[in-house]
Amino acid sequence: TYQSDSTVNYELGVKSTAFDNRLSIDVDTFLIHWKKIQLFEYVDSFGINANGGTATSKGLEWTFGFTPFQGLNLTLTGAYVDAYLTADAPAAGGLNGDPLPYAPKLTNSLDAEYTWRAFGDYRAFTGATWSYIGARQNDFGATAAIVNNAVVFERNPPATLGGYNTVNLRTGLDDGRWTFELYCKNLANSRGIAYYTSQGTPNFGGAITLQQPRTIGATIDLR
């Protein structure tokens, strides 16, 4: 069993517009103190949820929107996050100061969309989105061992998963009720690592998940 966790959050930010609402700004900084953080642990090759000690997450988030002329909208969103343990979690294999699993320090996304009147009530649109996921560490891990007739947990060194980029494209028609869209996700067929785990035993293997490969498709929506 494991207990509920709790956080105390502090946030300070600003929202504003400029240039006749063509530019929007939304920036905030935050600080989170986390108690009884829930962590994923491996015990004898079984994955369980358990409580660690304390953790801190702090950083900056931003969203900027810009409309240089009618029909073209640019949006930049991102965050810089420093999230780490502030107490050892020996059974999970985490030490004071270790980054929290799958918490990249930097993420960013830039979206551009242009819309124009096509025919009748339909508007045409075309757009692209670039996104970046920064480097992360995978889940904490520890291997149980017997030392002097006592059970101890030996830390498994975490793996660092490299950052990766993704570019998505879209185009279509929309009249407020019907939407027809063609899309291409992961245009460059990037093979970023989204998830990785090791069994903790040499040559015993593990599991890896890559981001969605290049995907071309179409959708029809009715509202």
Side-chain angles (χ1 to χ4, degrees):
T1 61
Y2 57 95
Q3 298 175 332
S4 59
D5 58 352
S6 63
T7 63
V8 177
N9 304 346
Y10 305 91
E11 186 173 357
L12 179 65
V14 60
K15 294 183 178 181
S16 183
T17 59
F19 306 116
D20 294 326
N21 294 323
R22 289 192 298 144
L23 175 65
S24 63
I25 301 171
D26 185 353
V27 179
D28 71 88
T29 183
F30 63 89
L31 172 64
I32 301 173
H33 293 303
W34 210 332
K35 291 184 177 180
K36 295 183 180 179
I37 180 173
Q38 296 174 2
L39 300 173
F40 189 74
E41 300 180 4
Y42 279 101
V43 178
D44 292 335
S45 299
F46 287 95
I48 64 169
N49 291 317
N51 291 103
T54 57
T56 291
S57 179
K58 55 187 177 182
L60 183 70
E61 298 175 323
W62 57 84
T63 299
F64 299 100
F66 184 51
T67 303
F69 53 86
Q70 185 175 359
L72 178 61
N73 295 296
L74 306 174
T75 305
L76 175 68
T77 60
Y80 175 84
V81 180
D82 188 13
Y84 53 90
L85 292 178
T86 53
D88 291 345
L95 300 178
N96 185 359
D98 280 349
L100 294 186
Y102 297 102
K105 283 197 172 183
L106 182 63
T107 58
N108 243 332
S109 176
L110 177 62
D111 182 83
E113 181 169 277
Y114 181 63
T115 62
W116 67 96
R117 183 175 178 180
F119 55 87
D121 293 330
Y122 280 93
R123 65 179 184 89
F125 63 89
T126 186
T129 303
W130 162 80
S131 61
Y132 171 75
I133 303 295
R136 300 131 291 138
Q137 287 194 353
N138 68 336
D139 286 309
F140 300 124
T143 301
I146 304 297
V147 177
N148 296 327
N149 295 322
V151 178
V152 298
F153 293 93
E154 297 178 349
R155 169 184 167 89
N156 299 333
T160 298
L161 313 183
Y164 60 89
N165 297 275
T166 306
V167 175
N168 299 331
L169 304 178
R170 62 188 182 276
T171 189
L173 295 168
D174 181 15
D175 72 346
R177 186 182 183 197
W178 288 92
T179 301
F180 305 89
E181 180 176 323
L182 298 175
Y183 63 82
C184 177
K185 298 181 179 180
N186 194 4
L187 176 66
N189 202 28
S190 173
R191 294 174 61 83
I193 299 176
Y195 173 81
Y196 167 76
T197 183
S198 170
Q199 295 296 333
T201 302
N203 303 318
F204 195 70
I208 191 171
T209 301
L210 301 178
Q211 69 179 120
Q212 181 180 356
R214 182 189 299 117
T215 304
I216 300 173
T219 61
I220 300 176
D221 293 330
L222 173 62
R223 294 185 292 275

